[in-house]
Amino acid sequence: MGQSVLRTMYTVLAVAAGVLSSTVNISLSSAVPGSNATDIPVLGLFGWFAGIGAAVLLVWRHRWPVLVTGIALVPPLLLTGDAMAALIALAALTARYVGWWRWSAATLVFAATAVAVWNDASRFAGASLAEAWLSTGTAAGKLVGVLLTALLFTAVPSTVGIVRHSLAETRRRIAEQEALRDRMARREEQARIAREMHDVLGHRLSLLSLQAGALEVTAGTTPDAAQAAKTVRTTARQSLDDLRQVIGVLRGSGFADRAPGGPAEPPQPTLSDIPDLITGARQAGLAVNVTVLLDQASTAPAPLGTAAYRILQEALTNVLRHAPGAPAEVLVRGGPGAGLSVEVFNPLPVSPVPSPGSGTGLTGVNERVSLLGGSLSAGPADERTFALRAWLPWVTPAP
């Protein structure tokens, strides 16, 4: 509301200044030396009407700056009118355009202003405004004064327009930077949600698929149970395929922001939830030998505990998928200042075991580790063992 009122006030002042300037110009032009009578020249009368029209057109100077400036040049250049409307329109034009348009308009307005000042300075004493600061004793002095005056008058609106253009460009760049930061924040949120979906759903669906496969084998004597187990396993495979596609979309683009006031996220796992994770893996048939050596585990930052849990969850899921029946050796150790290490070892299978999955598990683990400034290595430790080693920094809590 405030900006709209200010713009209206500026427009009213601009139109009033143009009308007043044209009226003063025709009044001085029609003055008769040594008399109170007036003699309005025809050309001056047309110039006055044209000046009033140009002043009214200043209402649209920001919408059509080139057209308004061009019309405002007619009174001073062709009809002995004043250049006030052209000067005001020049500020709007230089605020909109740069380069050739800006300097061409400034040159034409300078010429029009110089003509108007020259005409004013050429009147008899007492009917000229320019005589207050111009030396009219010699033609050279008069010419220099007219050019300097026109240059000053033209420089003021040009500077105003250039400053307004610079401010508008600065606001535009700031808005673009804010939009870029917003897009980056959304992309980071997409990646985070993709990791959470993979870690949570991928782990549970993999366990479901493996347990259904085992049930299908052991339930061979009961056709209905075997068929049900087969259906469960097929559904789990299809769900993992769907999960892979969803994660691809989230990692790529097109994820809308969560609606304000939507449901809160469930609490994230911490280091204290690792025993439950190990228990679930053992119930799925994985033989796990666990060693946990943590100092001040209760002081671990929440992001650190969540990352360690998800890394271990992905590692155990991969053992179940790619090395079914093989045992796993888990070592979790660390403390404040020393960092947190998560290491998982398992024997390599004699032959590769095809298994469904989202295909982005280690990618998500690597992203988690990178976000916290840690390091990750995953691959064969020797000819018989696969090892996943992750280290995460653990900042010492403030006293």
Side-chain angles (χ1 to χ4, degrees):
M1 183 65 180
Q3 291 294 331
S4 177
V5 172
L6 284 177
R7 284 195 295 267
T8 302
M9 291 179 57
Y10 291 153
T11 298
V12 171
L13 291 175
V15 174
V19 172
L20 178 62
S21 180
S22 294
T23 302
V24 170
N25 181 70
I26 189 63
S27 299
L28 295 176
S29 298
S30 61
V32 177
S35 173
N36 292 329
T38 58
D39 180 17
I40 301 177
V42 176
L43 197 61
L45 184 62
F46 280 114
W48 179 67
F49 281 118
I52 296 296
V56 173
L57 287 177
L58 291 176
V59 174
W60 298 280
R61 68 192 185 279
H62 294 298
R63 181 176 299 180
W64 301 303
V66 175
L67 177 62
V68 174
T69 303
I71 294 175
L73 289 172
V74 173
L77 290 178
L78 303 178
L79 301 173
T80 67
D82 68 294
M84 178 63 72
L87 290 169
I88 296 174
L90 178 63
L93 189 146
T94 52
R96 172 79 67 84
Y97 296 98
V98 297
W100 184 86
W101 277 106
R102 174 182 289 176
W103 300 115
S104 298
T107 301
L108 290 174
V109 173
F110 167 78
T113 305
V115 171
V117 175
W118 179 272
N119 290 336
D120 181 78
S122 299
R123 300 188 186 107
F124 62 88
S128 171
L129 297 176
E131 66 180 357
W133 66 87
L134 287 182
S135 174
T136 57
T138 62
K142 177 181 176 182
L143 178 61
V144 171
V146 166
L147 294 178
L148 289 177
T149 300
L151 181 62
L152 177 62
F153 285 178
T154 306
V156 172
S158 296
T159 303
V160 171
I162 291 173
V163 170
R164 288 179 56 195
H165 179 80
S166 300
L167 292 176
E169 283 295 302
T170 300
R171 288 193 295 268
R172 183 184 62 82
R173 292 193 183 97
I174 292 175
E176 289 179 350
Q177 292 174 356
E178 291 178 350
L180 178 60
R181 285 194 293 267
D182 186 57
R183 288 196 298 271
M184 292 177 64
R186 286 199 299 268
R187 292 296 299 271
E188 291 176 357
E189 180 70 1
Q190 293 170 21
R192 188 189 68 81
I193 293 174
R195 289 193 299 269
E196 293 299 326
M197 288 185 64
H198 174 273
D199 292 340
V200 176
L201 297 179
H203 177 71
R204 297 191 183 279
L205 289 173
S206 296
L207 294 181
L208 177 61
S209 178
L210 291 169
Q211 291 173 342
L215 179 60
E216 185 179 0
V217 173
T218 58
T221 58
T222 308
D224 292 340
Q227 182 61 36
K230 183 177 181 180
T231 301
V232 171
R233 184 166 58 86
T234 302
T235 302
R237 284 178 174 269
Q238 293 173 347
S239 299
L240 285 170
D241 292 338
D242 294 338
L243 176 62
R244 179 175 60 251
Q245 296 176 1
V246 172
I247 289 176
V249 172
L250 287 175
R251 290 186 184 278
S253 60
F255 181 73
D257 291 334
R258 260 197 303 269
E265 292 187 1
Q268 298 297 311
T270 63
L271 293 177
S272 61
D273 295 309
I274 288 180
D276 294 334
L277 176 63
I278 299 299
T279 300
R282 285 172 174 164
Q283 290 175 351
L286 177 63
V288 187
N289 183 24
V290 182
T291 302
V292 178
L293 301 172
L294 294 176
D295 183 22
Q296 303 180 36
S298 60
T299 65
L304 176 66
T306 300
Y309 181 94
R310 297 303 189 198
I311 292 169
L312 182 57
Q313 183 182 55
E314 177 62 24
L316 296 178
T317 301
N318 285 338
V319 175
L320 285 168
R321 286 177 185 164
H322 305 294
E329 185 77 22
V330 174
L331 175 59
V332 181
R333 56 184 175 178
L340 177 64
S341 296
V342 178
E343 299 177 328
V344 180
F345 306 91
N346 64 273
L348 288 170
V350 178
S351 58
V353 179
S355 176
S358 66
T360 57
L362 289 180
T363 301
V365 169
N366 188 51
E367 290 175 354
R368 287 184 182 277
V369 173
S370 298
L371 286 175
L372 294 179
S375 59
L376 173 72
S377 64
D382 52 45
E383 294 182 356
R384 298 182 179 180
T385 306
F386 185 91
L388 183 145
R389 297 183 177 93
W391 179 85
L392 302 171
W394 187 338
V395 180
T396 304

